[in-house]
Each structure stands twice: as C-alpha cells, then as structure tokens.
Amino acid sequence: MESDWNPDLYLKFRNERTQPSIDLVNRINLTHSPENILDIGCGPGNSSQIVLQRWPRSKLRGVDHSPNMIEKANKDFPDQEWILADAAHYEPGTTFDVVFSNATIQWIPNHRDLIYRFCSFLSENGALAVQLPKFHDMPLAKAIDCVAHRGRWKSRTGDCSSLFTYHDHRFYYDVLASRLRLIDIWETDYIHIMPSHSSIVEWIRSTGMKPYLDRLTDENEKHDFEQEVLGFIRSDYPLQPNGRVLFSFKRMFFIGYK
Ligand SMILES: C[S@@+](CC[C@H](N)C(=O)[O-])C[C@H]1O[C@@H](n2cnc3c(N)ncnc32)[C@H](O)[C@@H]1O
C-alpha cells in the first residue's frame, strides 16, 4: 500500500530541494505583480514560500494530495490557503496569474492532458512554470531499478518505474506551443556535494525510492533493498579524495505565457 509522504524526511535536504524553485521563480518574466498564484504539489509549502518571497503581496493557494504535507503547510504557514486534492482532477474554480509546480508532475500520468488543464487555470498573460527532475536518466534511478528487477524483489517492485511519467523537452515544447505563447525551456545539472553514499540513499528514500519501499512491508526488507542500492551506487558516484561524493541531479524547467 502507498504510504503518505514524510515532510520531516523530505525537508532534511531542504536547501538542495528548494534551489530549483528559486531558479524557476527568478526566471518568470511578468510585467506586473501576480494577484494570485497556484502552487500545484506544494508539499510542506517550501516551494510556495519561494514564490511569495518574490511577490509578497500576492495571494497563494497550495494544492497537494498528501494529508501529511498539507497538515505541515497549514501548521507552518497558517495565513496561506492549503487544499488537499489530487492535481489530476482538481478544479480551482478561478484563474491564476502564476501556476507553479516544482518537482511534482513526474508523479502524475498523462502529461499532455495535465498541462492542458494547468494552462486552462491561467489568467490572460499568466505564466505556467514547471520543474521536473530527470530522475530516470540518473545512475541512481538505474541502480534502484536494477535492484527492483532482482530475484528477491522482482515480483513486488519490478513495475515501479512505470509509476513515474517523463518526456523529453520536444514533447513539452509541442504541448505548450499548442496552448501558450513565448516558451522557455532549459535544463540544469545540480552537483550536490554529499557527505557519503548513504546520504544519497537517504535523500531518495522519501521521494524517488518511496514507491519501491512502499511495496515492502517489512522494515528489514526495506533495509536490505536500500543496502543493495547502496552497493550499486558506490561505483556510479566515486568518492572524491576528501571523502565527499558528488551527486549530480539533472532537472528540466519550462515556462510558458498565455
Ligand atoms: C517532491 S514533492 C515537491 C514539493 C514542493 N513542491 C517542493 O518544491 O519541494 C512532490 C509533491 O507532489 C505531491 N503530489 C504527487 N502527486 C500528486 C497529485 N496527483 N496531486 C497532488 N499532489 C501530488 C506529493 O504529495 C508531494 O508533496
């Protein structure tokens, strides 16, 4: 069964996870301050605060389908509006000058329809701004999937990679170009300096590896699965002479204006 998200574990790497939101929001080019902003997959509200730092007078609504994430956002930022809903079906009932979504859409299938829906939430001249991790391209994702297909795990975790949805920049360009004018697409490879290989496993435990671990009921099994992943990634991410590990994390960004 799918477990709920763990905001505390997620926020353990808060600075690293929030940097892409800073880069995305800084590149939105509007001639006016947005009146209202929608943050889709707002998590514990960390990405929302970045958007509000740029436009402190705007009204922000965050949407997430995790009760734990919405509870944490409500507790930490009680003055903002937090909605528990599945973004695949959510109907906001109004339009927004900025529709923002950081590190979320890879969890939701059918990106053509999803992006069309997001575009329909935009006010005239509004901006849709999205970031998604290129997790499937990373040695870490390949290591997790390799372990997931091994004998002991295969029947339970072999299909987990299909729970994520990704396309290349050509796909997103075509989808955006049919609805929006002025499209900006780019990729950034963030090199995170990590203290150890275990910290990479710790990073991914609460996100990309979560669906795999959810399939394993026993804590010992979860531990064994993680140890096998750890074994793989030691060669993919060699130790630097000072003992640090350079964890490269590619992300795709796109912004389109209505
Ligand atoms: C990696 S977190 C990103 C949180 C935050 N936006 C940030 O930048 O750190 C992904 C979030 O997407 C949410 N999410 C995944 N699928 C969703 C869906 N179908 N509808 C709404 N939220 C979803 C998860 O609950 C989680 O909080």
Side-chain angles (χ1 to χ4, degrees), residues 195-255:
S196 64
H197 290 103
S198 309
S199 56
I200 297 180
V201 171
E202 195 178 9
W203 168 304
I204 212 68
R205 182 185 290 145
S206 64
T207 54
M209 199 159 64
K210 180 178 167 305
Y212 297 80
L213 298 176
D214 282 348
R215 297 279 178 89
L216 314 174
T217 43
D218 185 303
E219 285 308 312
N220 291 329
E221 279 197 320
K222 290 182 204 263
H223 175 77
D224 289 354
F225 188 95
E226 287 189 359
Q227 289 305 305
E228 285 186 36
V229 171
L230 198 54
F232 269 91
I233 64 168
R234 284 188 204 285
S235 54
D236 292 326
Y237 303 94
L239 276 182
Q240 296 300 116
N242 67 358
R244 298 277 162 161
V245 184
L246 301 185
F247 176 38
S248 149
F249 203 128
K250 281 206 186 84
R251 297 177 182 269
M252 186 194 299
F253 300 76
F254 54 83
I255 302 176

Side-chain angles (χ1 to χ4, degrees), residues 12-61:
K12 202 153 181 199
F13 297 95
R14 178 194 289 265
N15 291 346
E16 291 83 353
R17 293 202 201 276
T18 304
Q19 187 61 45
S21 287
I22 299 172
D23 298 341
L24 180 58
V25 79
N26 282 340
R27 211 147 140 173
I28 301 173
N29 194 3
L30 292 177
T31 50
H32 55 286
S33 263
E35 206 169 290
N36 54 1
I37 297 164
L38 179 65
D39 184 5
I40 298 172
C42 58
N46 54 322
S47 49
S48 319
Q49 306 320 301
I50 299 301
V51 192
L52 280 176
Q53 271 165 28
R54 177 156 179 205
W55 295 296
R57 278 200 274 273
S58 303
K59 259 181 75 184
L60 183 132
R61 181 186 297 180

Side-chain angles (χ1 to χ4, degrees), residues 65-76:
H65 74 164
S66 155
N68 285 349
M69 290 296 206
I70 288 294
E71 189 188 326
K72 172 88 174 141
N74 249 320
K75 183 165 156 260
D76 290 352

Side-chain angles (χ1 to χ4, degrees), residues 5 10 41 43 46-47 64-66 69 85-87 102-104 107-108:
W5 285 69
Y10 181 70
N46 54 322
S47 49
D64 202 288
H65 74 164
S66 155
M69 290 296 206
D86 182 344
N102 187 62
T104 294
W107 296 95
I108 309 175

Side-chain angles (χ1 to χ4, degrees), residues 26-245:
N26 282 340
R27 211 147 140 173
I28 301 173
N29 194 3
L30 292 177
T31 50
H32 55 286
S33 263
E35 206 169 290
N36 54 1
I37 297 164
L38 179 65
D39 184 5
I40 298 172
C42 58
N46 54 322
S47 49
S48 319
Q49 306 320 301
I50 299 301
V51 192
L52 280 176
Q53 271 165 28
R54 177 156 179 205
W55 295 296
R57 278 200 274 273
S58 303
K59 259 181 75 184
L60 183 132
R61 181 186 297 180
V63 175
D64 202 288
H65 74 164
S66 155
N68 285 349
M69 290 296 206
I70 288 294
E71 189 188 326
K72 172 88 174 141
N74 249 320
K75 183 165 156 260
D76 290 352
F77 311 105
D79 296 341
Q80 293 151 29
E81 186 184 8
W82 306 107
I83 308 268
L84 181 66
D86 182 344
H89 309 290
Y90 177 63
E91 288 295 346
T94 185
T95 56
F96 296 84
D97 296 325
V98 172
V99 174
F100 187 87
S101 186
N102 187 62
T104 294
I105 69 166
Q106 73 277 10
W107 296 95
I108 309 175
N110 202 344
H111 282 186
R112 184 177 295 276
D113 286 354
L114 188 71
I115 291 167
Y116 286 166
R117 283 173 57 74
F118 291 178
C119 292
S120 75
F121 302 162
L122 287 174
S123 317
E124 213 49 46
N125 299 315
L128 169 66
V130 175
Q131 182 273 124
L132 74 159
K134 296 191 76 182
F135 180 57
H136 58 304
D137 279 353
M138 294 165 49
L140 175 59
K142 293 190 173 110
I144 294 173
D145 214 46
C146 213
V147 172
H149 280 90
R150 281 179 152 186
R152 183 178 170 195
W153 314 114
K154 194 175 171 186
S155 62
R156 285 173 288 168
T157 56
D159 66 336
C160 281
S161 65
S162 67
L163 299 172
F164 296 97
T165 301
Y166 300 99
H167 298 281
D168 68 8
H169 57 275
R170 292 172 179 277
F171 171 89
Y172 294 109
Y173 173 77
D174 285 344
V175 174
L176 294 167
S178 70
R179 289 291 190 279
L180 303 176
R181 60 181 181 88
L182 277 177
I183 292 152
D184 191 9
I185 306 180
W186 73 101
E187 291 182 359
T188 300
D189 195 356
Y190 294 86
I191 313 287
H192 301 297
I193 301 164
M194 307 294 279
S196 64
H197 290 103
S198 309
S199 56
I200 297 180
V201 171
E202 195 178 9
W203 168 304
I204 212 68
R205 182 185 290 145
S206 64
T207 54
M209 199 159 64
K210 180 178 167 305
Y212 297 80
L213 298 176
D214 282 348
R215 297 279 178 89
L216 314 174
T217 43
D218 185 303
E219 285 308 312
N220 291 329
E221 279 197 320
K222 290 182 204 263
H223 175 77
D224 289 354
F225 188 95
E226 287 189 359
Q227 289 305 305
E228 285 186 36
V229 171
L230 198 54
F232 269 91
I233 64 168
R234 284 188 204 285
S235 54
D236 292 326
Y237 303 94
L239 276 182
Q240 296 300 116
N242 67 358
R244 298 277 162 161
V245 184

